[in-house]
mmCIF file of all heavy atoms in Angstrom:
data_model
loop_
_atom_site.group_PDB
_atom_site.id
_atom_site.type_symbol
_atom_site.label_atom_id
_atom_site.label_comp_id
_atom_site.label_asym_id
_atom_site.label_seq_id
_atom_site.Cartn_x
_atom_site.Cartn_y
_atom_site.Cartn_z
ATOM 1 N N MET X 1164 0.824 -1.196 0.000
ATOM 2 C CA MET X 1164 0.000 0.000 0.000
ATOM 3 C C MET X 1164 0.871 1.264 0.000
ATOM 4 O O MET X 1164 0.556 2.226 -0.688
ATOM 5 C CB MET X 1164 -0.922 0.001 1.216
ATOM 6 C CG MET X 1164 -1.841 1.186 1.238
ATOM 7 S SD MET X 1164 -3.073 0.941 2.527
ATOM 8 C CE MET X 1164 -3.262 2.560 3.102
ATOM 9 N N MET X 1165 1.959 1.243 0.777
ATOM 10 C CA MET X 1165 2.836 2.412 0.847
ATOM 11 C C MET X 1165 3.416 2.749 -0.522
ATOM 12 O O MET X 1165 3.487 3.911 -0.912
ATOM 13 C CB MET X 1165 3.955 2.146 1.859
ATOM 14 C CG MET X 1165 4.876 3.288 2.081
ATOM 15 S SD MET X 1165 3.982 4.698 2.722
ATOM 16 C CE MET X 1165 5.051 5.987 2.195
ATOM 17 N N GLU X 1166 3.807 1.745 -1.270
ATOM 18 C CA GLU X 1166 4.382 1.975 -2.601
ATOM 19 C C GLU X 1166 3.336 2.589 -3.537
ATOM 20 O O GLU X 1166 3.651 3.463 -4.342
ATOM 21 C CB GLU X 1166 4.918 0.663 -3.172
ATOM 22 C CG GLU X 1166 5.849 0.837 -4.342
ATOM 23 C CD GLU X 1166 7.123 1.594 -4.003
ATOM 24 O OE1 GLU X 1166 7.599 1.542 -2.855
ATOM 25 O OE2 GLU X 1166 7.638 2.278 -4.907
ATOM 26 N N ALA X 1167 2.077 2.171 -3.433
ATOM 27 C CA ALA X 1167 1.010 2.731 -4.258
ATOM 28 C C ALA X 1167 0.775 4.200 -3.918
ATOM 29 O O ALA X 1167 0.607 5.034 -4.817
ATOM 30 C CB ALA X 1167 -0.280 1.927 -4.075
ATOM 31 N N ILE X 1168 0.784 4.545 -2.638
ATOM 32 C CA ILE X 1168 0.617 5.940 -2.213
ATOM 33 C C ILE X 1168 1.765 6.781 -2.742
ATOM 34 O O ILE X 1168 1.566 7.870 -3.292
ATOM 35 C CB ILE X 1168 0.532 6.037 -0.675
ATOM 36 C CG1 ILE X 1168 -0.755 5.396 -0.173
ATOM 37 C CG2 ILE X 1168 0.629 7.494 -0.216
ATOM 38 C CD1 ILE X 1168 -0.810 5.224 1.336
ATOM 39 N N LYS X 1169 2.980 6.275 -2.588
ATOM 40 C CA LYS X 1169 4.173 6.986 -3.059
ATOM 41 C C LYS X 1169 4.083 7.244 -4.568
ATOM 42 O O LYS X 1169 4.324 8.360 -5.028
ATOM 43 C CB LYS X 1169 5.412 6.154 -2.724
ATOM 44 C CG LYS X 1169 6.709 6.769 -3.138
ATOM 45 C CD LYS X 1169 7.862 5.852 -2.694
ATOM 46 C CE LYS X 1169 9.182 6.311 -3.206
ATOM 47 N NZ LYS X 1169 10.284 5.433 -2.792
ATOM 48 N N ASN X 1170 3.707 6.231 -5.341
ATOM 49 C CA ASN X 1170 3.582 6.383 -6.795
ATOM 50 C C ASN X 1170 2.506 7.389 -7.170
ATOM 51 O O ASN X 1170 2.694 8.181 -8.099
ATOM 52 C CB ASN X 1170 3.321 5.033 -7.448
ATOM 53 C CG ASN X 1170 4.533 4.139 -7.421
ATOM 54 O OD1 ASN X 1170 5.663 4.602 -7.352
ATOM 55 N ND2 ASN X 1170 4.300 2.837 -7.458
ATOM 56 N N ASP X 1171 1.383 7.376 -6.475
ATOM 57 C CA ASP X 1171 0.315 8.338 -6.750
ATOM 58 C C ASP X 1171 0.777 9.766 -6.482
ATOM 59 O O ASP X 1171 0.508 10.675 -7.272
ATOM 60 C CB ASP X 1171 -0.930 8.036 -5.916
ATOM 61 C CG ASP X 1171 -1.692 6.817 -6.402
ATOM 62 O OD1 ASP X 1171 -1.413 6.343 -7.528
ATOM 63 O OD2 ASP X 1171 -2.565 6.353 -5.653
ATOM 64 N N ILE X 1172 1.475 9.983 -5.373
ATOM 65 C CA ILE X 1172 1.982 11.319 -5.040
ATOM 66 C C ILE X 1172 2.955 11.789 -6.114
ATOM 67 O O ILE X 1172 2.881 12.925 -6.589
ATOM 68 C CB ILE X 1172 2.639 11.324 -3.647
ATOM 69 C CG1 ILE X 1172 1.570 11.151 -2.564
ATOM 70 C CG2 ILE X 1172 3.437 12.603 -3.421
ATOM 71 C CD1 ILE X 1172 2.125 10.901 -1.173
ATOM 72 N N ILE X 1173 3.876 10.919 -6.511
ATOM 73 C CA ILE X 1173 4.857 11.268 -7.545
ATOM 74 C C ILE X 1173 4.157 11.613 -8.850
ATOM 75 O O ILE X 1173 4.500 12.601 -9.509
ATOM 76 C CB ILE X 1173 5.862 10.118 -7.742
ATOM 77 C CG1 ILE X 1173 6.756 9.992 -6.514
ATOM 78 C CG2 ILE X 1173 6.706 10.331 -8.993
ATOM 79 C CD1 ILE X 1173 7.592 8.726 -6.491
ATOM 80 N N ASN X 1174 3.169 10.822 -9.248
ATOM 81 C CA ASN X 1174 2.454 11.074 -10.507
ATOM 82 C C ASN X 1174 1.739 12.416 -10.504
ATOM 83 O O ASN X 1174 1.779 13.153 -11.494
ATOM 84 C CB ASN X 1174 1.471 9.942 -10.800
ATOM 85 C CG ASN X 1174 2.170 8.675 -11.214
ATOM 86 O OD1 ASN X 1174 3.282 8.696 -11.722
ATOM 87 N ND2 ASN X 1174 1.518 7.546 -10.987
ATOM 88 N N VAL X 1175 1.091 12.755 -9.410
ATOM 89 C CA VAL X 1175 0.365 14.029 -9.338
ATOM 90 C C VAL X 1175 1.344 15.198 -9.358
ATOM 91 O O VAL X 1175 1.189 16.153 -10.123
ATOM 92 C CB VAL X 1175 -0.528 14.095 -8.081
ATOM 93 C CG1 VAL X 1175 -1.074 15.489 -7.876
ATOM 94 C CG2 VAL X 1175 -1.662 13.096 -8.195
ATOM 95 N N LEU X 1176 2.368 15.144 -8.517
ATOM 96 C CA LEU X 1176 3.329 16.244 -8.458
ATOM 97 C C LEU X 1176 4.080 16.426 -9.773
ATOM 98 O O LEU X 1176 4.408 17.550 -10.159
ATOM 99 C CB LEU X 1176 4.322 16.027 -7.320
ATOM 100 C CG LEU X 1176 3.747 16.124 -5.918
ATOM 101 C CD1 LEU X 1176 4.823 15.829 -4.884
ATOM 102 C CD2 LEU X 1176 3.132 17.488 -5.671
ATOM 103 N N SER X 1177 4.337 15.336 -10.478
ATOM 104 C CA SER X 1177 5.076 15.399 -11.737
ATOM 105 C C SER X 1177 4.313 16.147 -12.833
ATOM 106 O O SER X 1177 4.906 16.579 -13.811
ATOM 107 C CB SER X 1177 5.423 13.989 -12.218
ATOM 108 O OG SER X 1177 6.347 13.396 -11.341
ATOM 109 N N LYS X 1178 3.011 16.302 -12.676
ATOM 110 C CA LYS X 1178 2.236 17.085 -13.629
ATOM 111 C C LYS X 1178 2.586 18.569 -13.542
ATOM 112 O O LYS X 1178 2.458 19.307 -14.511
ATOM 113 C CB LYS X 1178 0.734 16.930 -13.370
ATOM 114 C CG LYS X 1178 0.191 15.563 -13.665
ATOM 115 C CD LYS X 1178 -1.293 15.525 -13.362
ATOM 116 C CE LYS X 1178 -1.865 14.147 -13.572
ATOM 117 N NZ LYS X 1178 -3.310 14.115 -13.286
ATOM 118 N N TYR X 1179 3.024 19.029 -12.378
ATOM 119 C CA TYR X 1179 3.228 20.442 -12.120
ATOM 120 C C TYR X 1179 4.681 20.845 -11.899
ATOM 121 O O TYR X 1179 5.019 22.020 -11.996
ATOM 122 C CB TYR X 1179 2.415 20.862 -10.892
ATOM 123 C CG TYR X 1179 0.959 20.534 -11.046
ATOM 124 C CD1 TYR X 1179 0.415 19.411 -10.435
ATOM 125 C CD2 TYR X 1179 0.123 21.319 -11.837
ATOM 126 C CE1 TYR X 1179 -0.930 19.088 -10.591
ATOM 127 C CE2 TYR X 1179 -1.208 21.003 -11.994
ATOM 128 C CZ TYR X 1179 -1.729 19.881 -11.374
ATOM 129 O OH TYR X 1179 -3.058 19.570 -11.544
ATOM 130 N N MET X 1180 5.536 19.880 -11.557
ATOM 131 C CA MET X 1180 6.927 20.213 -11.263
ATOM 132 C C MET X 1180 7.840 19.046 -11.572
ATOM 133 O O MET X 1180 7.395 17.907 -11.659
ATOM 134 C CB MET X 1180 7.078 20.617 -9.799
ATOM 135 C CG MET X 1180 6.596 19.586 -8.809
ATOM 136 S SD MET X 1180 6.487 20.159 -7.111
ATOM 137 C CE MET X 1180 5.044 21.205 -7.172
ATOM 138 N N GLU X 1181 9.119 19.372 -11.769
ATOM 139 C CA GLU X 1181 10.129 18.341 -11.939
ATOM 140 C C GLU X 1181 10.660 18.011 -10.551
ATOM 141 O O GLU X 1181 11.157 18.895 -9.857
ATOM 142 C CB GLU X 1181 11.255 18.846 -12.830
ATOM 143 C CG GLU X 1181 10.824 19.102 -14.251
ATOM 144 C CD GLU X 1181 11.953 19.671 -15.096
ATOM 145 O OE1 GLU X 1181 13.129 19.391 -14.809
ATOM 146 O OE2 GLU X 1181 11.636 20.407 -16.033
ATOM 147 N N ILE X 1182 10.527 16.756 -10.162
ATOM 148 C CA ILE X 1182 10.974 16.365 -8.831
ATOM 149 C C ILE X 1182 12.174 15.425 -8.941
ATOM 150 O O ILE X 1182 12.390 14.785 -9.966
ATOM 151 C CB ILE X 1182 9.841 15.706 -8.016
ATOM 152 C CG1 ILE X 1182 9.298 14.465 -8.712
ATOM 153 C CG2 ILE X 1182 8.731 16.693 -7.753
ATOM 154 C CD1 ILE X 1182 8.289 13.707 -7.893
ATOM 155 N N ASP X 1183 12.953 15.368 -7.872
ATOM 156 C CA ASP X 1183 14.128 14.506 -7.792
ATOM 157 C C ASP X 1183 13.687 13.160 -7.221
ATOM 158 O O ASP X 1183 13.615 12.983 -6.012
ATOM 159 C CB ASP X 1183 15.178 15.179 -6.903
ATOM 160 C CG ASP X 1183 16.458 14.391 -6.808
ATOM 161 O OD1 ASP X 1183 16.523 13.254 -7.331
ATOM 162 O OD2 ASP X 1183 17.414 14.908 -6.198
ATOM 163 N N ASN X 1184 13.371 12.216 -8.105
ATOM 164 C CA ASN X 1184 12.854 10.909 -7.683
ATOM 165 C C ASN X 1184 13.841 10.112 -6.841
ATOM 166 O O ASN X 1184 13.444 9.315 -5.999
ATOM 167 C CB ASN X 1184 12.456 10.077 -8.899
ATOM 168 C CG ASN X 1184 11.227 10.597 -9.602
ATOM 169 O OD1 ASN X 1184 10.434 11.328 -9.026
ATOM 170 N ND2 ASN X 1184 11.072 10.246 -10.862
ATOM 171 N N GLU X 1185 15.123 10.304 -7.071
ATOM 172 C CA GLU X 1185 16.133 9.513 -6.372
ATOM 173 C C GLU X 1185 16.319 9.944 -4.922
ATOM 174 O O GLU X 1185 16.759 9.149 -4.097
ATOM 175 C CB GLU X 1185 17.458 9.577 -7.120
ATOM 176 C CG GLU X 1185 17.400 8.893 -8.472
ATOM 177 C CD GLU X 1185 18.723 8.948 -9.209
ATOM 178 O OE1 GLU X 1185 19.741 9.272 -8.580
ATOM 179 O OE2 GLU X 1185 18.719 8.661 -10.413
ATOM 180 N N ASN X 1186 16.003 11.201 -4.606
ATOM 181 C CA ASN X 1186 16.249 11.706 -3.257
ATOM 182 C C ASN X 1186 14.983 12.005 -2.465
ATOM 183 O O ASN X 1186 15.049 12.625 -1.415
ATOM 184 C CB ASN X 1186 17.136 12.950 -3.322
ATOM 185 C CG ASN X 1186 18.528 12.613 -3.793
ATOM 186 O OD1 ASN X 1186 19.156 11.708 -3.269
ATOM 187 N ND2 ASN X 1186 19.007 13.314 -4.807
ATOM 188 N N LEU X 1187 13.839 11.537 -2.957
ATOM 189 C CA LEU X 1187 12.625 11.797 -2.197
ATOM 190 C C LEU X 1187 12.465 10.768 -1.084
ATOM 191 O O LEU X 1187 12.995 9.670 -1.143
ATOM 192 C CB LEU X 1187 11.388 11.834 -3.097
ATOM 193 C CG LEU X 1187 10.970 10.597 -3.869
ATOM 194 C CD1 LEU X 1187 10.103 9.703 -3.027
ATOM 195 C CD2 LEU X 1187 10.228 11.023 -5.102
ATOM 196 N N ASP X 1188 11.757 11.175 -0.060
ATOM 197 C CA ASP X 1188 11.544 10.309 1.106
ATOM 198 C C ASP X 1188 10.098 10.488 1.560
ATOM 199 O O ASP X 1188 9.703 11.578 1.960
ATOM 200 C CB ASP X 1188 12.512 10.696 2.226
ATOM 201 C CG ASP X 1188 12.361 9.819 3.456
ATOM 202 O OD1 ASP X 1188 11.970 8.651 3.317
ATOM 203 O OD2 ASP X 1188 12.646 10.320 4.557
ATOM 204 N N ILE X 1189 9.316 9.432 1.459
ATOM 205 C CA ILE X 1189 7.913 9.459 1.884
ATOM 206 C C ILE X 1189 7.706 8.323 2.877
ATOM 207 O O ILE X 1189 8.000 7.172 2.578
ATOM 208 C CB ILE X 1189 6.956 9.300 0.683
ATOM 209 C CG1 ILE X 1189 7.184 10.420 -0.332
ATOM 210 C CG2 ILE X 1189 5.513 9.279 1.158
ATOM 211 C CD1 ILE X 1189 6.395 10.261 -1.620
ATOM 212 N N GLN X 1190 7.210 8.669 4.073
ATOM 213 C CA GLN X 1190 7.009 7.670 5.115
ATOM 214 C C GLN X 1190 5.664 7.888 5.804
ATOM 215 O O GLN X 1190 5.178 9.010 5.885
ATOM 216 C CB GLN X 1190 8.105 7.779 6.175
ATOM 217 C CG GLN X 1190 9.489 7.565 5.665
ATOM 218 C CD GLN X 1190 10.518 7.765 6.755
ATOM 219 O OE1 GLN X 1190 10.203 7.775 7.936
ATOM 220 N NE2 GLN X 1190 11.768 7.916 6.368
ATOM 221 N N ILE X 1191 5.106 6.808 6.303
ATOM 222 C CA ILE X 1191 3.940 6.897 7.176
ATOM 223 C C ILE X 1191 4.402 6.438 8.552
ATOM 224 O O ILE X 1191 4.924 5.331 8.710
ATOM 225 C CB ILE X 1191 2.771 6.041 6.677
ATOM 226 C CG1 ILE X 1191 2.261 6.574 5.339
ATOM 227 C CG2 ILE X 1191 1.641 6.038 7.707
ATOM 228 C CD1 ILE X 1191 1.110 5.788 4.757
ATOM 229 N N THR X 1192 4.242 7.323 9.523
ATOM 230 C CA THR X 1192 4.646 7.013 10.894
ATOM 231 C C THR X 1192 3.434 7.146 11.807
ATOM 232 O O THR X 1192 2.336 7.467 11.348
ATOM 233 C CB THR X 1192 5.772 7.960 11.360
ATOM 234 O OG1 THR X 1192 5.289 9.306 11.333
ATOM 235 C CG2 THR X 1192 6.990 7.848 10.475
ATOM 236 N N GLN X 1193 3.624 6.929 13.079
ATOM 237 C CA GLN X 1193 2.557 7.070 14.069
ATOM 238 C C GLN X 1193 2.918 8.200 15.029
ATOM 239 O O GLN X 1193 4.082 8.376 15.372
ATOM 240 C CB GLN X 1193 2.385 5.777 14.870
ATOM 241 C CG GLN X 1193 1.921 4.594 14.041
ATOM 242 C CD GLN X 1193 0.471 4.702 13.642
ATOM 243 O OE1 GLN X 1193 -0.371 5.161 14.395
ATOM 244 N NE2 GLN X 1193 0.169 4.265 12.432
ATOM 245 N N THR X 1194 1.926 8.963 15.456
ATOM 246 C CA THR X 1194 2.127 9.998 16.464
ATOM 247 C C THR X 1194 0.944 9.992 17.417
ATOM 248 O O THR X 1194 -0.129 9.465 17.092
ATOM 249 C CB THR X 1194 2.302 11.391 15.819
ATOM 250 O OG1 THR X 1194 2.750 12.318 16.800
ATOM 251 C CG2 THR X 1194 1.020 11.891 15.201
ATOM 252 N N GLU X 1195 1.138 10.565 18.566
ATOM 253 C CA GLU X 1195 0.074 10.631 19.576
ATOM 254 C C GLU X 1195 -1.069 11.506 19.057
ATOM 255 O O GLU X 1195 -0.843 12.566 18.477
ATOM 256 C CB GLU X 1195 0.636 11.220 20.869
ATOM 257 C CG GLU X 1195 -0.299 11.134 22.046
ATOM 258 C CD GLU X 1195 -0.535 9.723 22.544
ATOM 259 O OE1 GLU X 1195 0.349 8.857 22.377
ATOM 260 O OE2 GLU X 1195 -1.616 9.477 23.103
ATOM 261 N N SER X 1196 -2.295 11.058 19.250
ATOM 262 C CA SER X 1196 -3.453 11.838 18.818
ATOM 263 C C SER X 1196 -3.587 13.109 19.656
ATOM 264 O O SER X 1196 -3.075 13.182 20.774
ATOM 265 C CB SER X 1196 -4.732 11.014 18.905
ATOM 266 O OG SER X 1196 -5.031 10.727 20.249
ATOM 267 N N GLU X 1197 -4.252 14.110 19.107
ATOM 268 C CA GLU X 1197 -4.422 15.387 19.812
ATOM 269 C C GLU X 1197 -5.183 15.229 21.118
ATOM 270 O O GLU X 1197 -4.942 15.950 22.074
ATOM 271 C CB GLU X 1197 -5.118 16.402 18.910
ATOM 272 C CG GLU X 1197 -4.238 16.900 17.790
ATOM 273 C CD GLU X 1197 -4.916 17.968 16.956
ATOM 274 O OE1 GLU X 1197 -5.972 18.505 17.372
ATOM 275 O OE2 GLU X 1197 -4.388 18.274 15.880
ATOM 276 N N ASP X 1198 -6.122 14.285 21.144
ATOM 277 C CA ASP X 1198 -6.896 14.101 22.371
ATOM 278 C C ASP X 1198 -6.199 13.190 23.380
ATOM 279 O O ASP X 1198 -6.706 12.951 24.474
ATOM 280 C CB ASP X 1198 -8.304 13.576 22.058
ATOM 281 C CG ASP X 1198 -8.306 12.217 21.383
ATOM 282 O OD1 ASP X 1198 -7.238 11.574 21.287
ATOM 283 O OD2 ASP X 1198 -9.386 11.791 20.945
ATOM 284 N N GLY X 1199 -5.007 12.676 22.999
ATOM 285 C CA GLY X 1199 -4.227 11.854 23.918
ATOM 286 C C GLY X 1199 -4.733 10.444 24.102
ATOM 287 O O GLY X 1199 -4.336 9.758 25.026
ATOM 288 N N HIS X 1200 -5.616 9.996 23.216
ATOM 289 C CA HIS X 1200 -6.186 8.652 23.338
ATOM 290 C C HIS X 1200 -5.684 7.737 22.228
ATOM 291 O O HIS X 1200 -6.447 7.278 21.379
ATOM 292 C CB HIS X 1200 -7.716 8.721 23.307
ATOM 293 C CG HIS X 1200 -8.297 9.420 24.487
ATOM 294 N ND1 HIS X 1200 -8.688 10.730 24.440
ATOM 295 C CD2 HIS X 1200 -8.528 8.991 25.755
ATOM 296 C CE1 HIS X 1200 -9.151 11.089 25.631
ATOM 297 N NE2 HIS X 1200 -9.059 10.050 26.451
ATOM 298 N N GLY X 1201 -4.393 7.480 22.215
ATOM 299 C CA GLY X 1201 -3.841 6.568 21.220
ATOM 300 C C GLY X 1201 -3.014 7.290 20.175
ATOM 301 O O GLY X 1201 -2.665 8.458 20.314
ATOM 302 N N THR X 1202 -2.720 6.570 19.111
ATOM 303 C CA THR X 1202 -1.901 7.126 18.042
ATOM 304 C C THR X 1202 -2.690 7.227 16.740
ATOM 305 O O THR X 1202 -3.702 6.556 16.556
ATOM 306 C CB THR X 1202 -0.648 6.256 17.810
ATOM 307 O OG1 THR X 1202 -1.056 4.945 17.435
ATOM 308 C CG2 THR X 1202 0.225 6.187 19.050
ATOM 309 N N VAL X 1203 -2.185 8.063 15.861
ATOM 310 C CA VAL X 1203 -2.782 8.252 14.538
ATOM 311 C C VAL X 1203 -1.659 8.230 13.509
ATOM 312 O O VAL X 1203 -0.521 8.579 13.814
ATOM 313 C CB VAL X 1203 -3.562 9.580 14.450
ATOM 314 C CG1 VAL X 1203 -4.789 9.549 15.330
ATOM 315 C CG2 VAL X 1203 -2.694 10.769 14.785
ATOM 316 N N PRO X 1204 -1.954 7.818 12.264
ATOM 317 C CA PRO X 1204 -0.919 7.820 11.238
ATOM 318 C C PRO X 1204 -0.603 9.250 10.774
ATOM 319 O O PRO X 1204 -1.473 10.122 10.765
ATOM 320 C CB PRO X 1204 -1.537 7.007 10.101
ATOM 321 C CG PRO X 1204 -2.991 7.036 10.338
ATOM 322 C CD PRO X 1204 -3.206 7.250 11.793
ATOM 323 N N VAL X 1205 0.667 9.456 10.413
ATOM 324 C CA VAL X 1205 1.139 10.747 9.900
ATOM 325 C C VAL X 1205 1.926 10.477 8.631
ATOM 326 O O VAL X 1205 2.796 9.607 8.607
ATOM 327 C CB VAL X 1205 2.045 11.450 10.931
ATOM 328 C CG1 VAL X 1205 2.616 12.730 10.358
ATOM 329 C CG2 VAL X 1205 1.296 11.733 12.207
ATOM 330 N N LEU X 1206 1.625 11.222 7.565
ATOM 331 C CA LEU X 1206 2.370 11.119 6.316
ATOM 332 C C LEU X 1206 3.447 12.190 6.323
ATOM 333 O O LEU X 1206 3.143 13.382 6.431
ATOM 334 C CB LEU X 1206 1.439 11.318 5.115
ATOM 335 C CG LEU X 1206 2.126 11.369 3.748
ATOM 336 C CD1 LEU X 1206 2.690 10.001 3.401
ATOM 337 C CD2 LEU X 1206 1.152 11.832 2.694
ATOM 338 N N CYS X 1207 4.703 11.771 6.216
ATOM 339 C CA CYS X 1207 5.841 12.691 6.173
ATOM 340 C C CYS X 1207 6.492 12.570 4.805
ATOM 341 O O CYS X 1207 6.854 11.466 4.390
ATOM 342 C CB CYS X 1207 6.856 12.360 7.255
ATOM 343 S SG CYS X 1207 6.206 12.495 8.912
ATOM 344 N N ALA X 1208 6.632 13.686 4.105
ATOM 345 C CA ALA X 1208 7.209 13.658 2.766
ATOM 346 C C ALA X 1208 8.272 14.734 2.612
ATOM 347 O O ALA X 1208 8.041 15.891 2.936
ATOM 348 C CB ALA X 1208 6.112 13.857 1.721
ATOM 349 N N ASN X 1209 9.428 14.324 2.129
ATOM 350 C CA ASN X 1209 10.500 15.226 1.762
ATOM 351 C C ASN X 1209 10.742 14.986 0.278
ATOM 352 O O ASN X 1209 11.294 13.954 -0.104
ATOM 353 C CB ASN X 1209 11.759 14.934 2.582
ATOM 354 C CG ASN X 1209 12.888 15.874 2.238
ATOM 355 O OD1 ASN X 1209 12.737 16.807 1.480
ATOM 356 N ND2 ASN X 1209 14.039 15.604 2.816
ATOM 357 N N ILE X 1210 10.276 15.928 -0.554
ATOM 358 C CA ILE X 1210 10.321 15.744 -2.002
ATOM 359 C C ILE X 1210 11.066 16.924 -2.620
ATOM 360 O O ILE X 1210 10.506 18.019 -2.759
ATOM 361 C CB ILE X 1210 8.903 15.637 -2.595
ATOM 362 C CG1 ILE X 1210 8.146 14.504 -1.887
ATOM 363 C CG2 ILE X 1210 8.961 15.411 -4.098
ATOM 364 C CD1 ILE X 1210 6.680 14.437 -2.212
ATOM 365 N N PRO X 1211 12.336 16.722 -2.987
ATOM 366 C CA PRO X 1211 13.096 17.809 -3.599
ATOM 367 C C PRO X 1211 12.507 18.190 -4.959
ATOM 368 O O PRO X 1211 12.260 17.333 -5.804
ATOM 369 C CB PRO X 1211 14.502 17.229 -3.766
ATOM 370 C CG PRO X 1211 14.556 16.053 -2.852
ATOM 371 C CD PRO X 1211 13.154 15.534 -2.758
ATOM 372 N N VAL X 1212 12.273 19.486 -5.149
ATOM 373 C CA VAL X 1212 11.722 20.011 -6.404
ATOM 374 C C VAL X 1212 12.855 20.634 -7.194
ATOM 375 O O VAL X 1212 13.552 21.526 -6.705
ATOM 376 C CB VAL X 1212 10.622 21.059 -6.128
ATOM 377 C CG1 VAL X 1212 10.112 21.665 -7.422
ATOM 378 C CG2 VAL X 1212 9.489 20.431 -5.335
ATOM 379 N N ARG X 1213 13.059 20.160 -8.413
ATOM 380 C CA ARG X 1213 14.102 20.716 -9.283
ATOM 381 C C ARG X 1213 13.633 21.998 -9.947
ATOM 382 O O ARG X 1213 14.376 22.954 -10.049
ATOM 383 C CB ARG X 1213 14.502 19.704 -10.342
ATOM 384 C CG ARG X 1213 15.221 18.511 -9.778
ATOM 385 C CD ARG X 1213 15.675 17.595 -10.890
ATOM 386 N NE ARG X 1213 16.414 16.470 -10.324
ATOM 387 C CZ ARG X 1213 16.544 15.316 -10.922
ATOM 388 N NH1 ARG X 1213 15.989 15.122 -12.098
ATOM 389 N NH2 ARG X 1213 17.235 14.356 -10.360
ATOM 390 N N ASP X 1214 12.379 22.009 -10.420
ATOM 391 C CA ASP X 1214 11.863 23.180 -11.126
ATOM 392 C C ASP X 1214 10.351 23.046 -11.295
ATOM 393 O O ASP X 1214 9.825 21.943 -11.262
ATOM 394 C CB ASP X 1214 12.526 23.274 -12.512
ATOM 395 C CG ASP X 1214 12.399 24.655 -13.135
ATOM 396 O OD1 ASP X 1214 11.975 25.603 -12.443
ATOM 397 O OD2 ASP X 1214 12.749 24.786 -14.326
ATOM 398 N N MET X 1215 9.689 24.165 -11.457
ATOM 399 C CA MET X 1215 8.266 24.158 -11.759
ATOM 400 C C MET X 1215 8.093 24.039 -13.265
ATOM 401 O O MET X 1215 8.889 24.596 -14.031
ATOM 402 C CB MET X 1215 7.605 25.440 -11.260
ATOM 403 C CG MET X 1215 7.713 25.653 -9.758
ATOM 404 S SD MET X 1215 6.948 24.357 -8.788
ATOM 405 C CE MET X 1215 5.227 24.626 -9.147
ATOM 406 N N LYS X 1216 7.068 23.318 -13.700
ATOM 407 C CA LYS X 1216 6.792 23.187 -15.117
ATOM 408 C C LYS X 1216 6.010 24.392 -15.597
ATOM 409 O O LYS X 1216 5.232 24.980 -14.847
ATOM 410 C CB LYS X 1216 6.012 21.904 -15.402
ATOM 411 C CG LYS X 1216 6.842 20.658 -15.194
ATOM 412 C CD LYS X 1216 6.097 19.418 -15.629
ATOM 413 C CE LYS X 1216 6.987 18.196 -15.507
ATOM 414 N NZ LYS X 1216 6.278 16.972 -15.901
ATOM 415 N N LYS X 1217 6.215 24.736 -16.847
ATOM 416 C CA LYS X 1217 5.483 25.843 -17.452
ATOM 417 C C LYS X 1217 4.066 25.397 -17.737
ATOM 418 O O LYS X 1217 3.823 24.285 -18.207
ATOM 419 C CB LYS X 1217 6.150 26.267 -18.767
ATOM 420 C CG LYS X 1217 7.616 26.615 -18.625
ATOM 421 C CD LYS X 1217 7.777 28.053 -18.226
ATOM 422 C CE LYS X 1217 9.214 28.470 -18.317
ATOM 423 N NZ LYS X 1217 9.892 28.605 -17.082
ATOM 424 N N ARG X 1218 3.112 26.233 -17.417
ATOM 425 C CA ARG X 1218 1.700 25.918 -17.710
ATOM 426 C C ARG X 1218 1.366 26.449 -19.080
ATOM 427 O O ARG X 1218 1.722 27.548 -19.433
ATOM 428 C CB ARG X 1218 0.786 26.549 -16.667
ATOM 429 C CG ARG X 1218 1.024 25.931 -15.285
ATOM 430 C CD ARG X 1218 0.019 26.420 -14.344
ATOM 431 N NE ARG X 1218 -1.000 25.378 -14.273
ATOM 432 C CZ ARG X 1218 -2.058 25.437 -13.511
ATOM 433 N NH1 ARG X 1218 -2.269 26.496 -12.760
ATOM 434 N NH2 ARG X 1218 -2.928 24.472 -13.482
ATOM 435 N N SER X 1219 0.652 25.644 -19.871
ATOM 436 C CA SER X 1219 0.276 26.090 -21.224
ATOM 437 C C SER X 1219 -1.135 26.561 -21.292
ATOM 438 O O SER X 1219 -1.905 26.479 -20.417
ATOM 439 C CB SER X 1219 0.503 24.966 -22.218
ATOM 440 O OG SER X 1219 0.086 23.726 -21.750
#
């Protein structure tokens, strides 16, 4: 599932910008919920952008 999410994010962002596929880092981690009753998933993404694409 994680690989599918990563691919979807890359595909969407690639429509608008040139990204550095080799140095991107996308992870799903757990953090404490705001109400303090357990944990919730968190998506953390570090995606280097090389340039924005020109819109036609």
Side-chain angles (χ1 to χ4, degrees):
M1164 182 170 144
M1165 183 61 205
E1166 196 63 29
I1168 292 170
K1169 181 178 173 180
N1170 289 335
D1171 287 347
I1172 290 170
I1173 291 169
N1174 288 335
V1175 170
L1176 292 178
S1177 293
K1178 292 179 183 180
Y1179 304 101
M1180 56 191 74
E1181 294 177 28
I1182 59 174
D1183 183 354
N1184 290 339
E1185 293 180 14
N1186 293 309
L1187 63 86
D1188 181 29
I1189 301 174
Q1190 300 177 16
I1191 295 180
T1192 61
Q1193 295 287 322
T1194 191
E1195 189 68 28
S1196 67
E1197 288 183 13
D1198 62 9
H1200 294 99
T1202 61
V1203 292
V1205 176
L1206 174 69
C1207 298
N1209 181 6
I1210 304 171
V1212 176
R1213 292 184 178 156
D1214 198 10
M1215 299 300 291
K1216 291 186 176 179
K1217 305 274 190 255
R1218 295 188 98 179
S1219 42

